[in-house]
């Protein structure tokens, strides 16, 4: 039986996993992200590019959010969904709240640096003026395996 909450997010998570694969091929930590518009269409994608660009802020989420602003018609991504293979860190959680992303869907938990429920819960902090919906654990085993395999071969 398909999970009614996570089921609709499997296809976009597979796109994010493909993005993560691109990061791994470039020697970067395999994290991929996709921003979906209100109608579910892909607005932008991104994968980690820190090693490629030498930019410490070149996380998959930040790049996808930046790229989505144009097609979305501005910086407010209120009705958009960010789908990402790994729980966002504090920097990415800040970008999510600042861009007003309406929903965050992620795969693997990040017990060491996660800021969407594991170590911190920045995006749902009641002191902030924007709190997106969060759906966790979509294709979690596959997302976690991409990271485990990458670090095992390093």
């Amino acid at each position: 039986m398909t999970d009614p909450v996570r089921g609709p997010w499997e296809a976009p998570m597979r796109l994010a996993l493909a993005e993560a694969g691109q990061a791994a091929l470039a020697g970067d930590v395999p994290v991929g992200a996709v921003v979906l518009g209100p109608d579910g269409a892909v607005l932008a994608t991104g994968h980690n590019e820190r090693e490629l660009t030498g930019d410490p802020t070149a996380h998959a989420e930040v790049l996808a959010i930046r790229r989505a602003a144009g097609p979305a018609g501005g910086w407010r991504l209120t009705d958009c969904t960010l789908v990402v293979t790994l729980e966002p860190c504090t920097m990415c959680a800040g970008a999510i709240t600042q861009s007003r992303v309406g929903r965050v869907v992620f795969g693997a938990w990040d017990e060491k640096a996660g800021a969407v429920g594991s170590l911190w819960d920045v995006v749902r902090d009641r002191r902030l003026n924007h709190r997106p919906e969060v759906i966790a654990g979509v294709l979690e085993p596959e997302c976690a395996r991409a990271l485990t395999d990458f670090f095992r071969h390093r």
Side-chain angles (χ1 to χ4, degrees):
M1 188 163 94
T2 302
D3 182 329
V5 175
R6 294 185 179 133
W9 306 112
E10 288 183 14
M13 186 61 77
R14 292 201 185 282
L15 291 173
L17 278 164
E19 284 291 320
Q22 294 298 311
L25 289 174
D28 216 322
V29 177
V31 177
V34 176
V35 176
L36 305 173
D39 61 355
V42 174
L43 294 180
T45 61
H47 56 268
N48 277 358
E49 294 182 11
R50 292 181 306 169
E51 298 298 331
L52 179 68
T53 63
D55 179 355
T57 69
H59 286 205
E61 302 95 308
V62 171
L63 296 173
I65 287 169
R66 285 179 188 161
R67 293 170 183 156
W75 64 269
R76 289 179 187 87
L77 303 177
T78 308
D79 296 321
C80 296
T81 299
L82 172 69
V83 180
V84 60
T85 58
L86 180 65
E87 178 186 2
C89 69
T90 54
M91 177 182 67
C92 295
I96 290 163
T97 60
Q98 290 300 311
S99 62
R100 312 295 195 267
V101 168
R103 180 183 301 114
V104 177
V105 177
F106 71 88
W109 291 91
D110 186 350
E111 299 297 328
K112 294 180 181 176
V116 184
S118 61
L119 191 56
W120 296 286
D121 199 352
V122 172
V123 300
R124 291 180 285 200
D125 188 317
R126 293 227 172 266
R127 295 170 292 184
L128 298 175
N129 67 341
H130 177 75
R131 291 178 296 281
E133 175 186 5
V134 175
I135 299 170
V138 176
L139 299 180
E140 182 176 4
E142 292 168 64
C143 293
R145 186 171 42 255
L147 291 157
T148 302
D149 290 350
F150 176 79
F151 287 112
R152 183 177 294 131
H153 292 102
R154 271 191 95 150

